[in-house]
Amino acid sequence: MPETFGWYEDDTGETVTVRAATPDDYDAVAAFTADTWADRGGSDYIPDIYHDWIADDDGETRQTFVVDVGAETPSAELGAIVQVVTLSPYEAWGQGLRVNPDYRGRGLAKAITEASFAFARDAGATVLRNMIFSWNVRSLGLARDTGYDPGIEFRWVHPTPDAGATAESDADVPVFTGDANPDAAWSFWTNSEARTRLSGLVLDFEESWAVSELTRDRLRAAADEGRLLVAGAGPTRGFAARSRTYERESDGETETWAEYAVGAWAWRDDDAADALLAAVARDAAAVGADRTRVLIPEGVRWVTDAARAKADIAEEPTFVMEADLT
């Protein structure tokens, strides 16, 4: 029997059970997530990664939850799903919250979220965050109703990989890669407006589609592995850090993506933005990437700096919500 994490009463007075997901739940989960993004012309990623989630669950640092409606045993008709992952000794991440359309409006999201909060607290986390596209109004309202508060907002920027990419400012703003100084990047970060706007958060270096606090050790690890790019020499004027590369199917073809935990430059330094984004394009080409994704702070200056550098930019920002677990 899968582990049970609690019994709750939904808004109709019926008992629902939050329990650990199992491989046998796959068909039910795939069925009620099949049309999640139908109105946006996309497909949900949950069926693609479901078995990986279950295989990695350890019940201590990561757990996938499902809800059975009106039953204390696994049911073929599930009500909701979510996964919780710890990213650091004090940070947890919630991802993939989906409610079966047949059971919306009955409080299942609140039940599974309460179980998520309890799990994250038991793991030592003081904050639980999630990521929601700004256009997803239903999920934003649901997050507020279930105990999350507004966190940060950011924008995705997509420089095109190009081994010969240059910027007019390259001569004035050198970018160091193999010999990048992580302490210089850390000093810049701690005093930057970018850090303030992002509350110290960047893409996590291990968990995909998650954000966590940037640390000096993470920058040093990135430098040691040749993944850190630092713009400027006396003074430092910005940096970026490649967090990972991965493959993704698109229109029947496999694309390689290079993802950058953050692209940070001085508030009023568009030359540094040009140089840094050109360096990202070169770095992505060097690792064989077809596409890139760079997190930058949401704000007119950063977005227009990226536009001036002729990088593709997401049309809308992405929001991070957070729950205080203390």
Side-chain angles (χ1 to χ4, degrees):
M1 293 293 294
E3 182 177 358
T4 297
F5 291 92
W7 293 270
Y8 301 84
E9 188 175 285
D10 72 11
D11 291 349
T12 70
E14 189 170 11
T15 298
V16 301
T17 307
V18 180
R19 61 169 174 84
T22 73
D24 292 339
D25 295 318
Y26 173 80
D27 288 342
V29 171
F32 77 71
T33 60
D35 297 324
T36 302
W37 310 124
D39 60 340
R40 303 286 298 190
S43 58
D44 202 329
Y45 70 93
I46 302 295
D48 295 332
I49 53 79
Y50 180 83
H51 289 301
D52 292 334
W53 274 10
I54 302 304
D56 291 341
D57 283 350
D58 58 19
E60 295 182 358
T61 63
R62 57 196 309 135
Q63 182 64 59
T64 306
F65 302 88
V66 293
V67 174
D68 287 324
V69 180
E72 296 182 8
T73 58
S75 168
E77 187 73 19
L78 299 180
I81 182 174
V82 75
Q83 187 184 63
V84 177
V85 179
T86 57
L87 304 179
S88 75
Y90 52 89
E91 297 169 284
W93 186 255
Q95 55 194 5
L97 174 60
R98 305 286 189 269
V99 177
N100 187 329
D102 292 341
Y103 294 104
R104 286 177 180 164
R106 291 178 52 171
L108 302 192
K110 183 177 181 180
I112 204 169
T113 299
E114 287 183 7
S116 300
F117 288 178
F119 179 86
R121 284 193 188 95
D122 289 345
T126 58
V127 62
L128 176 63
R129 301 186 180 96
N130 65 23
M131 184 186 298
I132 303 175
F133 294 118
S134 59
W135 50 260
N136 193 348
V137 177
R138 179 191 293 271
S139 292
L140 290 170
L142 189 63
R144 293 299 302 273
D145 285 343
T146 55
Y148 287 92
D149 292 317
I152 66 164
E153 55 183 324
F154 65 87
R155 187 79 66 122
W156 297 113
V157 176
H158 308 281
T160 302
D162 180 358
T166 60
E168 293 180 2
S169 57
D170 273 358
D172 298 325
V173 187
V175 179
F176 303 91
T177 51
D179 54 351
N181 183 344
D183 293 323
W186 178 252
S187 179
F188 174 86
W189 176 245
T190 57
N191 295 292
S192 70
E193 179 68 16
R195 181 187 182 281
T196 300
R197 287 293 184 102
L198 294 171
S199 297
L201 302 176
V202 302
L203 288 180
D204 191 73
F205 281 57
E206 296 183 8
E207 188 68 27
S208 63
W209 288 86
V211 300
S212 59
E213 289 188 19
L214 181 62
T215 65
R216 186 191 293 264
D217 286 344
R218 286 177 174 174
L219 284 177
R220 286 175 172 169
D224 290 344
E225 297 170 7
R227 297 184 287 107
L228 181 64
L229 295 70
V230 176
T236 299
R237 295 165 65 177
F239 72 95
R242 177 167 27 91
S243 50
R244 66 185 184 118
T245 59
Y246 60 95
E247 293 185 345
R248 178 175 172 182
E249 293 292 327
S250 177
D251 297 327
E253 297 184 0
T254 300
E255 293 181 326
T256 298
W257 284 69
E259 194 167 79
Y260 295 79
V262 67
W265 53 85
W267 171 248
R268 297 189 179 279
D269 198 340
D270 46 15
D271 285 346
D274 284 355
L276 190 62
L277 291 174
V280 166
R282 296 192 298 269
D283 180 76
V287 297
D290 304 299
R291 304 281 300 276
T292 68
R293 191 194 330 267
V294 184
L295 183 154
I296 66 169
E298 173 65 9
V300 63
R301 185 67 196 196
W302 284 284
V303 173
T304 56
D305 279 350
R308 179 178 178 272
K310 297 179 175 59
D312 289 336
I313 307 169
E315 293 182 357
E316 298 169 300
T318 298
F319 295 157
V320 173
M321 308 292 287
E322 57 186 32
D324 184 343
L325 303 180
T326 59

